[in-house]
Amino acid sequence: MATLDDKLMGEKLHYYCSSSSESEGEDEDGEKLTAPAEPAAPNGSCQWDGTSCNTGPKGVIKDYQRFKQLELEKREEQKEELAKLAKKFSITCRTNAEDDKAKSEEEKLEEELAKLMDESCIQDFVQQRMQEMLLRETNRLRFGSVHVIKDCDHFLAAVDGEDKSVSVIILLHEPNSPGCLSAIKAVESLSKAYAHVKFCSVRPSLISMSTHFKVSGVPALLAYKSGQLVGNFVRMTDELGEEFATCDLESYLIEHGILNDRNLVPNVVQMESSDED
């Protein structure tokens, strides 16, 4: 059982800090003395509050080392924050030299756009596009006359057997029917003006159409593209009358999107005319 002196000495030893190795040794009675454990920081944080619980030289050194460690950790955190900020601003910010370069490029682009908007440049561009159109026109299939269909098989071959880029327009007519003579003359003229369009003619009686259609449905026009029916104009005399000119039928087909207006590309028309000559 410890005596009062032992208790007093024990209490004193708890507060006694020696600079010698004896402070960590044994007391006079042979009992090993241990320094009280340092209190743990709450929530695992290591924040320096400017005070120390160690008053001896070793404690001071240990506190100093801890202070330096916290200071180093703080500097590392600041470096990481600075690196993040530098990365962020490097994306959105430019130097004066970069601003000048960007401004110079913008001015150069505006000058180029101004040149493009110049009237002479626009005319050159239109001429270039016209030349490209003419080149395509020369490579397209040409017909230039009306193909007469004789039977159902011939009718199917004229539609399904043609190139998909070719428009096929078929006139259905009967002799002595009102308006058919005007339609035949107009189609013959259009076949020469639109040489890249395939114009055909057939009597409904040759392709097994009804008697009612032969009497009341002609003259009629069927327009096909890529084998698909794109236009169906029955008894055109209701719109054009029994006597009409080529220009009337041409305007009618242009209005319904079957023909392209050749007046919009006069150079193409002139070229086709010169080729026919």
Side-chain angles (χ1 to χ4, degrees), residues 49 60 64 66 80 89 103 154 177-178:
D49 59 0
V60 172
Y64 177 76
R66 180 59 180 161
E80 291 180 1
F89 285 111
K103 186 177 180 180
H154 195 189
S177 293

Side-chain angles (χ1 to χ4, degrees), residues 4-246:
L4 179 59
D5 293 339
D6 292 335
K7 291 183 178 180
L8 292 174
M9 290 298 293
E11 292 178 357
K12 292 180 180 179
L13 287 173
H14 281 295
Y15 292 93
Y16 175 72
C17 294
S18 174
S19 60
S20 65
S21 60
E22 294 177 358
S23 61
E24 296 180 356
E26 298 179 352
D27 61 4
E28 294 177 354
D29 296 333
E31 295 183 358
K32 188 175 180 180
L33 301 177
T34 57
E38 295 182 3
N43 300 326
S45 63
C46 298
Q47 298 294 331
W48 176 258
D49 59 0
T51 62
S52 172
C53 61
N54 300 311
T55 58
K58 287 187 176 181
V60 172
I61 293 173
K62 187 174 182 181
D63 291 339
Y64 177 76
Q65 292 174 346
R66 180 59 180 161
F67 170 75
K68 285 296 185 180
Q69 181 183 359
L70 293 175
E71 191 178 42
L72 179 61
E73 293 177 356
K74 186 175 182 180
R75 284 201 299 267
E76 292 297 331
E77 292 178 358
Q78 290 177 345
K79 286 181 180 179
E80 291 180 1
E81 293 180 359
L82 288 174
K84 291 179 181 179
L85 288 174
K87 184 177 180 180
K88 179 180 178 181
F89 285 111
S90 65
I91 298 174
T92 56
C93 298
R94 297 185 301 193
T95 62
N96 292 334
E98 291 173 339
D99 288 337
D100 294 338
K101 183 179 179 181
K103 186 177 180 180
S104 177
E105 292 178 353
E106 290 176 359
E107 292 176 352
K108 185 178 179 180
L109 181 61
E110 289 178 357
E111 291 178 359
E112 293 177 354
L113 290 175
K115 290 180 180 179
L116 289 175
M117 295 304 294
D118 184 74
E119 184 175 354
S120 60
C121 292
I122 294 177
Q123 291 178 354
D124 293 339
F125 175 76
V126 172
Q127 290 296 329
Q128 181 181 357
R129 294 294 298 164
M130 292 295 296
Q131 292 297 326
E132 293 175 357
M133 292 175 63
L134 290 174
L135 182 61
R136 287 199 298 268
E137 288 291 327
T138 56
N139 295 329
R140 291 172 60 188
L141 294 173
R142 298 176 63 86
F143 302 95
S145 61
V146 178
H147 297 259
V148 179
I149 295 175
K150 299 178 181 179
D151 52 35
C152 293
D153 292 337
H154 195 189
F155 181 92
L156 294 175
V159 175
D160 297 333
E162 194 52 71
D163 188 273
K164 292 183 178 181
S165 63
V166 175
S167 296
V168 180
I169 298 177
I170 300 176
L171 170 65
L172 289 81
H173 65 94
E174 286 290 344
N176 303 322
S177 293
C180 286
L181 182 60
S182 297
I184 292 172
K185 291 180 179 179
V187 167
E188 288 178 349
S189 298
L190 291 177
S191 67
K192 295 179 176 61
Y194 294 87
H196 301 301
V197 178
K198 184 176 182 178
F199 286 90
C200 304
S201 65
V202 64
R203 293 177 57 184
S205 57
L206 299 177
I207 54 176
S208 303
M209 299 192 75
S210 66
T211 303
H212 178 70
F213 183 86
K214 288 186 290 185
V215 175
S216 305
V218 295
L221 279 178
L222 303 177
Y224 293 87
K225 189 70 176 287
S226 300
Q228 301 296 321
L229 182 66
V230 295
N232 183 12
F233 309 101
V234 178
R235 199 165 62 189
M236 293 185 297
T237 51
D238 293 346
E239 299 285 341
L240 303 176
E242 293 183 1
E243 294 184 3
F244 52 88
T246 301

